[in-house]
C-alpha cells in the first residue's frame, strides 16, 4: 500500500474556463484531509484530477514521491485510488450487485460471472450500513428504484469494494441522514486504522471538524491554505474561502432598503411545499430586489419554478394580495410573472432562430393574427437598445451572440411583456464580466421602476452587492435572512454552510 | 406481489404457446390439404359449382370448341395466386385492377375462384414469403411479378414441384417450367430510339435519361437504344443520367441538361420520367426545342397536346409499356390449367420460355388524336393498354 | 423482491411485451392458417425469418450498448454479392465454405470500420453508419452491378429444406445464437455492454473500457450482418446488391418491438428475436386474413406503431399505479 499522494501546481481548463489554476494537495496514509472551498472553487475538479477522470493540463501528481500520470480512471484505480462521486457513478439500469462489482466481477472457470459470490459479497458490504436504510435493500434491486440516500450508500460501498488505499469522498454526506453519516464516519475511522487515506470534500463545517485531521482550502482554482485542523477554527476557515476584495463594482439602488419595505407587499409565499421544498415562507415588496443564496441545489431553483407554475406545490402564494395557484407557466405569464431561466441553451433560447423570433416568442399573441411584424420589430428594437444589446440585427441568429448578449435576449423577451414580477434563476452563470456589470445596472433600474425581483445566484458576491435582502436556503428551507448590516460575505457563507450561530431572521 | 403475478402470467402464456404448438403439430399432419382450402375461398366456392354448367357453353362462339375438350373441369374452379412486391406505382395499380376484372370473367363462368392476391411493398425475402404463402394455400397457378431476377428461383421451383403452374409477368426468369409473359423490353426501347434517329435524320446531339442502373428492364432497354444509335454515327450522345424512374427526378435531370446543352436536338427517356422531361423543356422553353421520347400514359399525351400549343414544331412518340401483359398472363394460366398444350414453337425470349406479346400502342404525331380519344374518360395515370382476348391467346396453344 | 429467472434471461422486464405480442400473433396466424405448425410450413416460414432474426440480434447488441447500426443491411448485401459472384451456380461445396468464411471476415471488417469511427474517433453512430451504409451498398453494387449469379442449388437446398429432428434448421441456428448470447451476457463483457449502454460516463469512471466495448459491439453487429447475408443468399440462391437494404429498418423495428430501449442499457436479445418473428408472422396474418391489398401496408404499419407504443403505454399505467 502506498503512503502518500501529492498534487503539485495542478492546472485544468475546460474550454476557456479555468477550473484549477494552481491546485495543491497532500494526503498521507492514516489521515483524513478535508478539501474545502466555496461554490466553483475547483474542489470537484481537484478530486477528478486525483482519480484520473480528467487529464490535467499542467502540474504534477506524486505517488510516494514518484511522479505518476493518470491517463484514465483505470490507471488511478490500479494505483489504489477510489472515489465516491458527487454525481454518483452508478448505472441506473443495473442492479446493486452488478454496479458494485462492475469490472471486478468474480468469474468461474468458464469466464462466467459468479452470481452467487457476488451476492454474498454484496450482502457483506450492505451489512456495513445495515439498519440505516429504509426499504429492503437487496443485491438484486435495480439502482433506478432506490431513493437518493440508498444510492449514495451504494456509491460508497462500490468505492470500498475496490479495497483502495486512498478514498475520495466527494460530497458523500450530502444526501445521507445523520445515522447514515455516523455509520460512514465509523467506517472512516476504521479505514484510518487500516492505513488508508481519505480525502473528504464537504460543505458541512460540523462534519469537517468532526472527522478531518488536515484541511486544504481552494479558492478560484487555487490552493490558498492548508494545515492541521487542530490549528484553525470555523471563522478562520471561512475567511480563507472568501476573496479579499471584489473585482466588480456593484451599483446598489439609490433608495434605502427601509423605504422599500414601506411599499406594498407584492409577492407573499406561505409554507410552500413540494418535492424538495419543505415549507418556504417569504415576502417581497414592490420595487425590492431580494436575493436567494445558499449552496447549490438547496431548493432555490425549485422555489422559482414552483412560483412560475412549472412544478406542482402545496401552500399559499399571494400576488398583489390575491391568492394565485399557477398550474402552467402560461398562467403565470398572464399574471405578469416572468422567469429568466438559468440554462439558456436548454430553457431560454432557440439558438438557431433569429433574435426577433426569440424575443417575440412569449408575446406573439399581442401582435395579432396574422402577425404585425413591423410593430413587433419596433418593440423588439426598443427593448434591444434599452438593454444595450450588441447585435448585427434583429434577424441575426441568437447563436451569433456572446453569452452576455444572449442572456439579454432572454431577459428582453420577458421585458417585452412588461412583467411585474421577475424571477431570475442564476442568470449570470457563464456571462463575461462586462456584461455582468451591465446586467447589474439593468436589475437596479428595473427595481427602481417598481418591479418585484426575486434573484437566485450561485455567485455570493452578486447577492451581497446587489440585493436589498438575501434569503439563504438550506435543504429546502429558508435558513437565514440577511439584510443591512448582517448582509456580509462571512455571514452569507457561514449561513450557507450551516456553520456557527444562527443570525436572526426566520428559519 | 406484482412480481409474483407477473411470473404467473408468464407461466400461463408459455404454457399456452407450448400447448398450441403441440396441438397444431399433431392435427394438420394427418390431413394437410383439406385444412388449407377454407380461409381463402369462402363465397365463390359455394356459388361457382352451381353456375358452372350453365355458363360454360353460351359464352362465345369459338369457346364452345374448347369447352368440349376442357378437361380443366376436373379441377375447376381453379384458384390463382398473384405475387406482387411493389405497389407504389400506377402500373401496378392498373395491373391488379385488370387482373381482378379479367378473373371476374372466368369466375362468372365458374372456371376460377377469387384471386389470392399477395401484394405489398416488400423485399426479396418478403416475396419469397408471399410465394410460400400461396403454395401453402394450395393455389393451382401463381402469377408472379418478380422483384428479383433470380432470387425467387428456388422458391418457384418448389411451387413447380408442388404441381403449381407458374407464370412470370413483366420480367423474364430463367427457371425451366416457369413460363414468362411480357413484351420484349429491348424491342420496346428500340421502337422509340429508331423514331428519334429517323426524326433527327440520323444526325444531332442528344441526351439520355435512364431508369435504375442495373435494373434488368433498364439494362435491356439501354442495350436496345445503344444498338439503334450505333447505326447512326451522326448521332452524338452527349450525356446519360439516371432519373430513377421518377417524374420529379426526370424533370430535374432534364433541366440540368437544358442548362448545360442549350442546342440539344433530341432526348431519349422512358416511362414516367418522360413527363418530367417534357415539363422541363416547356418550362425552359429554349429557342430550339429538342425532340423527345414520351410514354404511353394519358397524362403524357395531354401534356404533349399542350406542348404543341407552345411550340408546334415539337414532336414525340409514346410507346406503351402496358400492364395488360399480366391479365394476358392470367388468360394463359387459365388455358394451361384447362389442360391445353403450349405451342413451344411460338415461344421466344432468351430461353425460349417466353410468350412475347406485341406492343400495345405506338402513338406518334400521326395518331395522337386516336391516342387522346383512347384516354377519353380515363385518369391521367392511365397507361394505354391492351389485353389479349381469349381467342388471341389461343395462338400460343396447340390447336 | 426477487426478480423472476426469465428476466435475467432476456434482460429486464421489457421482453414480456414481445412475448405477449408473439404469442398473440401466432395464435391469430394459427386461426387463419391452421397448418402453420406443419413441418413444411414451419420450415418455410422460419427460413424466411432467419436473415432478419440474425440481423436483429446484431442490431440489438449495438442498441443495448447505446449505439445504432444503419449499415447492417448493406453489409449483408456485400456478403450476398460476394457469395453470388465468387461461388457461382456451379461452384463446389469447398468453394462455398471458403467464401462463407471470407464473408464472416468481411462482416468483421465492415463492423470494425464502423466501430473505429464511432468508438475511437467519437463520431455520431447514426450518422456514421448511415454514411458507411452507402459505402457498403456502393461496394456491393460494384461487385454485382446487375442482379444475378448465385450459389449451387444443392447448398441452397441444404439451408432451405434441412429439418433435423423434424424441426426447421433455423430453430437450431437461433438456439445456438441465443446460447452464445446467454454465455456472453453472463461474462464480464455482458456487464460492460449494459454499463456502457446505461450510462457511459459512469461506466468510464468505474474504469470500464468504454471505447473497446463500443468498438467490439459494432464488430459483433457486422459479424451478425454477415451471417444474415449468408442466410439470405442461401434462401434466394442468387445475388442482388439491393437485397439487404430494406432489412435495416426492419431490424431496428424488431429490436424496439423486442423491448430494448433505443437509449441503450435495457433489454436483451431474446426479445428482438421474438420481435423479428412477430414481424414475419404479421405478414402471414395479413396475407392469409385476406385483407384488401390497398389496406395491407396501412394495417401492417398500424400494428407496428401499436407494438412500438405499447411498452410506453404499459409504463404509463405502471406509473399511474405506483
Amino acid at each position: 500500500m502506498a503512503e502518500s499522494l501529492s498534487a503539485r501546481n495542478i492546472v485544468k481548463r475546460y474550454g476557456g474556463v479555468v477550473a484549477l489554476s494552481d491546485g495543491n494537495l497532500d494526503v498521507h496514509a492514516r489521515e483524513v484531509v478535508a478539501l474545502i472551498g466555496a461554490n466553483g472553487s475547483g474542489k470537484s475538479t481537484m478530486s477528478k484530477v486525483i482519480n484520473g477522470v480528467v487529464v490535467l493540463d499542467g502540474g504534477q501528481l506524486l505517488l510516494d514521491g514518484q511522479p505518476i500520470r493518470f491517463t484514465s480512471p483505470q490507471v488511478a484505480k490500479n494505483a489504489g485510488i477510489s472515489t465516491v462521486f458527487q454525481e454518483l457513478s452508478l448505472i441506473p439500469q443495473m442492479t446493486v450487485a452488478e454496479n458494485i462489482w462492475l469490472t471486478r466481477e468474480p468469474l468461474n472457470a468458464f469466464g462466467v460471472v459468479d452470481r452467487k459470490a457476488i451476492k454474498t459479497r454484496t450482502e457483506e458490504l450492505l451489512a456495513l450500513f445495515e439498519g440505516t436504510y429504509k426499504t429492503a435493500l437487496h443485491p438484486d434491486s435495480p439502482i433506478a428504484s432506490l431513493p437518493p440516500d440508498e444510492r449514495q450508500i451504494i456509491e460508497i460501498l462500490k468505492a470500498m469494494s475496490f479495497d483502495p488505499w486512498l478514498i475520495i469522498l466527494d460530497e458523500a454526506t450530502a444526501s445521507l441522514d445523520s445515522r447514515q453519516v455516523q455509520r460512514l464516519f465509523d467506517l472512516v475511522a476504521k479505514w484510518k486504522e487500516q492505513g488508508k487515506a481519505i480525502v473528504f470534500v464537504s460543505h458541512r463545517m460540523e462534519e469537517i471538524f468532526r472527522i478531518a485531521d488536515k484541511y486544504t482550502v481552494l479558492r478560484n482554482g487555487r490552493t490558498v491554505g492548508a494545515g492541521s485542523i487542530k490549528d484553525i477554527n470555523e471563522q478562520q476557515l471561512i475567511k480563507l474561502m472568501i476573496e479579499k476584495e471584489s473585482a466588480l463594482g456593484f451599483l446598489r439602488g439609490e433608495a434605502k432598503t427601509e423605504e422599500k419595505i414601506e411599499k406594498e407587499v407584492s409577492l407573499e409565499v406561505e409554507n410552500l411545499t413540494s418535492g424538495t421544498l419543505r415549507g418556504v415562507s417569504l415576502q417581497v415588496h414592490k420595487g425590492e430586489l431580494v436575493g436567494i443564496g445558499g449552496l447549490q441545489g438547496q431548493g432555490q431553483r425549485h422555489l422559482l419554478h414552483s412560483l412560475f407554475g412549472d412544478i406542482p406545490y402545496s401552500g399559499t402564494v399571494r400576488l398583489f394580495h390575491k391568492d394565485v395557484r399557477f398550474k402552467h407557466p402560461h398562467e403565470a405569464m398572464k399574471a405578469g410573472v416572468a422567469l429568466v431561466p438559468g440554462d439558456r441553451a436548454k430553457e431560454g433560447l432557440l439558438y438557431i432562430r433569429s433574435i426577433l423570433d426569440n424575443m417575440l416568442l412569449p408575446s406573439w399573441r399581442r401582435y395579432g393574427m396574422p402577425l404585425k411584424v413591423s410593430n413587433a420589430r419596433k418593440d423588439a428594437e426598443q427593448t434591444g437598445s434599452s438593454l444595450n444589446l450588441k447585435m448585427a440585427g434583429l434577424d441575426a441568429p441568437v447563436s451569433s451572440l456572446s453569452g452576455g448578449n444572449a442572456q439579454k435576449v432572454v431577459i428582453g423577451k420577458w421585458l417585452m411583456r412588461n412583467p411585474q414580477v421577475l424571477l431570475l434563476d442564476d442568470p449570470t452563470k457563464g456571462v463575461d464580466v462586462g456584461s455582468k456589470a451591465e446586467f447589474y445596472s439593468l436589475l437596479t433600474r428595473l427595481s427602481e421602476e417598481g418591479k418585484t425581483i426575486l434573484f437566485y445566484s450561485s455567485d455570493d458576491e452578486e447577492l451581497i452587492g446587489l440585493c436589498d435582502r438575501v434569503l439563504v436556503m438550506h435543504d429546502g428551507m429558508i435558513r437565514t435572512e440577511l439584510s443591512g448590516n448582517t448582509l456580509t460575505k462571512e455571514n452569507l457563507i457561514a449561513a450557507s454552510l450551516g456553520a456557527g450561530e444562527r443570525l436572526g431572521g426566520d428559519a | 406481489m406484482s412480481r409474483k403475478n407477473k411470473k404467473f402470467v408468464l407461466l400461463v402464456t408459455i404454457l399456452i404457446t407450448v400447448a398450441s404448438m403441440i396441438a397444431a403439430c399433431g392435427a394438420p399432419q394427418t390431413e394437410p390439404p383439406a385444412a388449407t382450402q377454407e380461409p381463402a375461398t369462402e363465397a365463390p366456392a359455394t356459388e361457382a359449382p352451381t353456375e358452372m354448367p350453365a355458363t360454360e357453353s353460351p359464352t362465345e362462339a369459338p369457346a364452345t370448341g374448347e369447352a368440349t375438350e376442357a378437361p380443366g373441369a376436373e379441377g375447376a374452379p381453379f384458384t390463382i395466386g398473384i405475387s406482387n412486391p411493389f405497389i407504389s406505382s400506377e402500373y401496378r395499380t392498373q395491373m391488379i385492377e385488370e387482373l381482378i376484372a379479367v378473373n371476374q370473367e372466368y369466375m362468372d363462368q365458374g372456371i376460377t375462384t377469387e384471386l389470392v392476391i399477395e401484394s405489398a411493398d416488400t423485399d426479396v425475402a418478403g416475396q419469397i414469403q408471399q410465394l410460400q404463402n400461396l403454395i401453402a394455400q394450395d393455389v393451382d397457378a401463381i402469377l408472379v411479378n418478380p422483384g428479383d431476377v433470380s432470387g425467387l428461383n428456388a422458391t418457384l421451383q418448389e411451387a413447380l414441384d408442388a404441381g403449381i403452374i407458374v407464370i412470370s409477368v413483366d420480367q423474364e426468369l430463367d427457371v425451366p417450367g416457369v413460363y414468362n409473359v411480357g413484351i420484349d423490353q429491348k424491342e420496346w426501347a428500340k421502337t422509340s430510339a429508331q423514331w428519334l434517329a429517323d426524326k433527327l435524320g440520323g444526325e444531332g446531339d442528344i441526351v439520355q435519361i435512364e431508369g435504375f442502373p442495373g435494373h434488368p428492364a433498364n439494362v435491356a432497354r439501354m442495350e436496345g437504344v445503344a444498338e439503334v444509335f450505333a447505326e447512326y454515327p451522326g448521332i452524338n450522345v452527349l450525356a446519360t443520367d439516371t432519373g430513377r424512374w421518377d417524374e420529379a427526378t426526370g424533370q430535374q435531370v432534364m433541366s440540368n441538361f437544358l442548362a448545360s446543352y442549350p442546342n440539344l436536338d433530341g432526348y431519349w427517356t422512358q416511362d414516367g420520367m418522360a413527363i418530367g422531361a417534357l415539363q422541363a423543356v416547356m418550362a425552359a422553353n429554349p429557342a430550339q426545342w429538342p425532340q423527345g421520347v414520351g410514354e404511353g400514359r394519358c397524362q403524357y399525351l395531354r401534356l404533349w397536346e399542350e406542348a404543341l400549343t407552345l411550340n408546334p414544331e415539337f414532336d414525340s412518340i409514346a410507346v406503351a409499356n402496358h400492364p395488360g401483359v399480366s391479365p394476358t398472363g392470367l388468360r394463359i394460366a387459365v388455358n394451361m390449367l384447362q389442360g391445353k398444350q403450349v405451342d413451344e414453337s411460338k415461344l421466344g425470349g432468351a430461353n425460349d420460355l417466353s410468350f412475347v406479346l406485341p406492343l400495345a400502342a405506338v402513338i406518334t404525331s400521326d395518331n395522337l388524336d386516336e391516342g387522346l380519344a383512347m384516354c377519353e374518360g380515363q385518369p391521367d395515370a392511365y397507361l394505354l393498354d391492351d389485353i389479349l382476348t381469349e381467342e388471341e391467346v389461343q395462338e400460343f396453344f396447340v390447336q | 423482491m426477487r426478480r423472476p429467472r426469465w428476466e435475467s434471461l432476456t434482460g429486464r422486464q421489457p421482453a414480456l411485451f414481445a412475448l405477449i405480442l408473439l404469442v398473440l400473433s401466432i395464435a391469430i396466424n394459427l386461426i387463419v392458417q391452421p397448418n402453420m405448425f406443419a413441418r413444411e410450413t414451419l420450415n418455410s416460414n422460419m427460413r424466411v425469418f432467419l436473415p432478419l432474426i440474425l440481423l436483429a440480434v446484431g442490431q440489438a447488441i449495438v442498441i443495448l450498448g447505446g449505439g445504432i447500426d444503419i449499415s447492417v443491411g448493406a453489409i449483408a448485401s456485400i456478403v450476398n454479392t460476394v457469395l453470388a459472384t465468387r461461388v457461382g451456380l456451379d461452384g463446389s461445396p469447398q468453394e462455398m465454405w471458403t467464401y462463407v468464411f471470407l464473408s464472416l471476415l468481411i462482416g468483421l471488417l465492415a463492423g470494425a470500420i464502423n466501430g473505429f469511427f464511432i468508438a475511437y474517433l467519437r463520431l455520431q453512430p447514426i450518422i456514421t453508419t448511415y454514411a458507411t451504409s452507402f459505402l457498403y451498398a456502393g461496394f456491393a453494387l460494384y461487385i454485382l452491378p446487375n442482379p444475378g449469379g448465385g450459389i449451387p442449388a444443392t447448398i441452397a437446398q441444404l439451408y432451405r429444406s434441412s429439418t433435423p429432428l423434424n424441426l426447421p434448421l433455423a430453430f437450431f441456428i437461433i438456439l445456438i445464437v441465443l446460447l452464445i448470447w446467454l454465455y456472453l451476457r453472463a461474462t464480464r463483457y455482458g456487464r460492460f455492454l449494459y454499463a456502457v449502454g446505461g450510462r457511459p460516463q459512469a461506466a468510464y469512471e468505474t474504469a470500464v473500457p468504454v471505447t473497446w466495448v463500443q468498438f467490439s459491439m459494432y464488430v459483433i453487429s457486422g459479424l451478425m450482418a454477415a451471417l444474415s447475408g449468408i442466410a439470405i443468399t442461401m434462401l434466394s440462391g442468387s445475388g442482388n446488391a439491393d437485397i439487404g437494404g430494406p432489412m435495416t429498418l426492419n431490424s431496428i423495428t424488431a429490436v424496439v418491438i423486442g423491448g430494448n430501449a433505443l437509449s441503450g442499457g435495457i433489454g436483451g436479445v431474446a426479445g428482438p428475436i421474438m420481435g423479428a418473428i412477430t414481424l414475419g408472422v404479421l405478414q402471414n396474418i395479413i396475407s392469409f386474413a385476406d385483407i384488401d391489398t390497398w389496406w395491407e401496408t396501412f394495417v401492417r404499419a398500424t400494428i407496428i406503431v401499436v407494438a412500438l407504443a405499447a411498452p410506453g403505454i404499459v409504463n404509463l399505467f405502471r406509473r399511474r399505479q405506483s
Side-chain angles (χ1 to χ4, degrees), chain A residues 222-242:
Chain A
R222 209 176 275 278
T223 298
V224 290
S228 173
I229 210 90
K230 289 195 299 275
D231 308 333
I232 197 162
N233 63 28
E234 240 174 63
Q235 262 61 42
Q236 290 167 310
L237 261 186
I238 290 171
K239 273 221 171 64
L240 270 176
M241 291 162 66
I242 298 162

Side-chain angles (χ1 to χ4, degrees), chain A residues 320-341:
Chain A
F320 299 106
H321 310 299
K322 265 199 331 211
D323 273 13
V324 291
R325 176 166 289 269
F326 303 131
K327 288 187 212 68
H328 191 273
H330 183 69
E331 294 173 17
M333 281 157 62
K334 260 183 155 167
V337 179
L339 175 85
V340 177

Side-chain angles (χ1 to χ4, degrees), chain A residues 91-383:
Chain A
I91 319 277
Q93 296 92 336
M94 298 174 81
T95 67
V96 167
E98 285 170 349
N99 262 292
I100 290 180
W101 299 102
L102 187 61
T103 68
R104 289 154 297 114
E105 296 87 351
L107 305 175
N108 69 15
F110 304 101
V112 169
V113 175
D114 189 342
R115 301 173 65 89
K116 253 192 204 138
I118 280 195
K119 205 167 162 184
T120 328
R121 291 199 211 173
T122 308
E123 275 160 355
E124 283 167 23
L125 282 176
L126 283 172
L128 294 173
F129 275 89
E130 184 134 46
T132 66
Y133 37 84
K134 279 150 278 174
T135 62
L137 192 56
H138 189 272
D140 288 341
S141 316
I143 293 296
S145 71
L146 303 180
D149 58 330
E150 291 179 6
R151 290 189 199 192
Q152 183 69 62
I153 290 173
I154 304 305
E155 176 79 13
I156 293 167
L157 296 180
K158 180 180 169 186
M160 273 182 70
S161 72
F162 283 88
D163 192 26
W165 79 269
L166 172 62
I167 300 178
I168 303 165
L169 297 170
D170 190 355
E171 299 285 359
T173 57
S175 48
L176 298 183
D177 66 28
S178 55
R179 272 189 316 161
Q180 291 162 338
V181 170
Q182 185 53 52
R183 197 65 69 90
L184 173 63
F185 287 177
D186 291 347
L187 281 175
V188 168
K190 204 155 78 186
W191 294 339
K192 268 166 72 176
E193 275 172 32
Q194 291 168 355
K196 296 188 200 298
I198 294 102
V199 173
F200 185 70
V201 184
S202 179
H203 279 303
R204 296 184 181 173
M205 281 294 162
E206 178 260 336
E207 290 174 359
I208 290 166
F209 281 92
R210 220 163 104 200
I211 64 158
D213 303 302
K214 301 245 181 83
Y215 69 87
T216 295
V217 179
L218 279 171
R219 192 172 70 211
N220 282 344
R222 209 176 275 278
T223 298
V224 290
S228 173
I229 210 90
K230 289 195 299 275
D231 308 333
I232 197 162
N233 63 28
E234 240 174 63
Q235 262 61 42
Q236 290 167 310
L237 261 186
I238 290 171
K239 273 221 171 64
L240 270 176
M241 291 162 66
I242 298 162
E243 283 208 63
K244 294 274 159 11
E245 50 200 74
S246 164
L248 294 167
F250 290 99
L251 298 148
R252 208 195 286 243
E254 297 283 303
K256 291 246 158 56
T257 306
E258 291 75 33
E259 283 174 35
K260 287 186 181 173
I261 303 290
E262 283 163 28
K263 288 186 184 166
E264 60 168 328
V265 173
S266 50
L267 175 69
E268 203 175 354
V269 176
E270 265 174 40
N271 202 22
L272 188 76
T273 312
S274 77
T276 34
L277 297 177
R278 305 194 293 147
V280 172
S281 300
L282 57 89
Q283 281 191 345
V284 189
H285 302 82
K286 205 160 176 286
E288 197 183 13
L289 208 170
V290 174
I292 304 174
L295 301 173
Q296 288 177 37
Q298 301 301 318
Q300 298 98 330
R301 287 215 161 133
H302 266 81
L303 174 60
L304 295 180
H305 282 268
S306 296
L307 292 176
F308 195 52
D310 246 1
I311 299 173
Y313 61 87
S314 62
T316 318
V317 177
R318 268 191 290 279
L319 200 63
F320 299 106
H321 310 299
K322 265 199 331 211
D323 273 13
V324 291
R325 176 166 289 269
F326 303 131
K327 288 187 212 68
H328 191 273
H330 183 69
E331 294 173 17
M333 281 157 62
K334 260 183 155 167
V337 179
L339 175 85
V340 177
D343 193 338
R344 289 190 297 277
K346 259 207 264 181
E347 299 170 35
L349 288 174
L350 310 169
Y351 263 64
I352 54 164
R353 304 295 314 204
S354 72
I355 295 166
L356 181 64
D357 285 353
N358 272 285
M359 289 234 241
L360 219 55
L361 209 54
S363 43
W364 60 268
R365 224 176 251 273
R366 276 201 291 141
Y367 298 100
M369 199 71 157
L371 284 180
K372 295 190 193 72
V373 178
S374 56
N375 284 5
R377 187 173 279 274
K378 218 190 296 165
D379 288 358
E381 247 157 30
Q382 207 176 354
T383 310

Side-chain angles (χ1 to χ4, degrees), chain B residues 3-4 6-7 9-10 13-14 16-17 20-22 24-25 27-29 32-33 35-36 38-42 84 87 92-94 96-97 100 114-130 132-134 136-137 147-156 158 213-216 219, chain C residues 1-7 13 16 19-20 23 26 30-39 41-45 47-49 51 141 145-149 156-157 160-161 166 171 232 234-240 242-244 246-247 250 279-281 283-284 287-288 290-291 293-294 296-297 300 318:
Chain B
R3 282 195 188 278
K4 243 183 190 170
K6 212 195 281 171
K7 201 172 181 181
V9 170
L10 193 88
T13 44
I14 289 173
I16 291 171
T17 333
S20 60
M21 272 174 140
I22 293 166
C25 281
Q29 267 173 354
T36 43
E38 289 149 1
T41 43
E42 290 178 333
N84 173 40
I87 56 173
R92 305 290 171 130
T93 313
Q94 202 170 326
I96 299 280
E97 279 169 0
I100 293 171
E114 197 134 0
L115 293 176
V116 181
I117 300 173
E118 295 265 347
S119 177
D121 278 323
T122 189
D123 54 8
V124 179
Q127 198 171 14
I128 289 176
Q129 203 182 340
Q130 284 185 347
Q132 287 178 172
N133 286 346
L134 292 176
Q137 292 185 58
D148 193 293
V149 270
S150 49
L152 307 175
N153 290 5
T155 313
L156 292 176
E158 284 178 356
H215 188 284
V219 171
Chain C
M1 286 309 284
R2 293 194 170 207
R3 49 186 56 255
R5 263 278 165 73
W6 74 276
E7 280 191 0
Q13 80 284 11
L16 176 68
L19 184 67
I20 293 172
V23 170
I26 286 178
L30 207 55
I31 295 168
V32 294
Q33 188 194 9
N35 71 340
M36 168 185 192
F37 283 107
R39 194 184 61 181
T41 322
L42 195 62
N43 182 50
S44 63
N45 274 326
R47 70 189 183 194
V48 173
F49 301 163
L141 208 58
N146 301 329
Q157 216 49 42
R160 296 174 61 89
S161 45
N166 270 342
F171 271 14
I232 201 158
M234 289 187 153
L235 175 70
S236 75
S238 75
N240 180 347
D242 291 330
I243 204 161
M247 294 203 295
N250 278 340
L279 282 181
V281 173
Q283 175 153 1
N284 277 354
S287 60
F288 280 103
D290 213 15
I291 295 167
T293 307
W294 316 118
E296 208 176 298
T297 311
R300 188 185 326 169
R318 233 184 245 164

